Amino acid sequence: TRLVSWGSSAGADDRQLLHADVCAFHAYPAWYPTTRPAEMKEVQEIPLIWQTYAEFVEQNYPDKPLIVTEAGAGGLFKHHGPSDVKWTE
């Protein structure tokens, strides 16, 4: 048999998670939806954001595992630059 899941971008608002075998989330903290440079405080909060997802799953779906299906940020091919500039490789 196959597990039922999807990469939810709705987070705690995803009302269909009860039908999933695995709770899976997409999130891009400090990156989307803005093009402005990320502030260090936002970057430092990323572990806390994922901890919040973990606590949500543990409290609401204690028998289901949590996986992070997408995280991080996008880059433009061959757009090189400093790591603190968005869209660079």
Side-chain angles (χ1 to χ4, degrees):
T1 62
R2 295 182 181 172
L3 297 174
V4 174
S5 189
W6 55 92
S8 177
S9 58
D13 294 328
D14 191 331
R15 296 180 298 178
Q16 304 304 315
L17 289 173
L18 63 116
H19 302 294
D21 296 313
V22 177
C23 293
F25 297 100
H26 296 342
Y28 313 93
W31 191 261
Y32 298 119
T34 179
T35 57
R36 68 170 174 68
E39 296 177 14
M40 184 54 68
K41 182 180 179 195
E42 292 175 298
V43 173
Q44 291 170 335
E45 291 174 349
I46 292 172
L48 299 173
I49 292 168
W50 287 111
Q51 182 63 37
T52 301
Y53 277 96
E55 290 169 0
F56 167 76
V57 171
E58 187 174 43
Q59 291 171 6
N60 294 280
Y61 305 100
D63 296 330
K64 297 182 183 192
L66 162 70
I67 60 172
V68 176
T69 47
E70 286 188 23
L76 298 174
F77 182 64
K78 293 190 177 184
H79 181 60
H80 301 282
S83 61
D84 61 344
V85 176
K86 290 188 175 181
W87 306 108
T88 59
E89 292 185 314

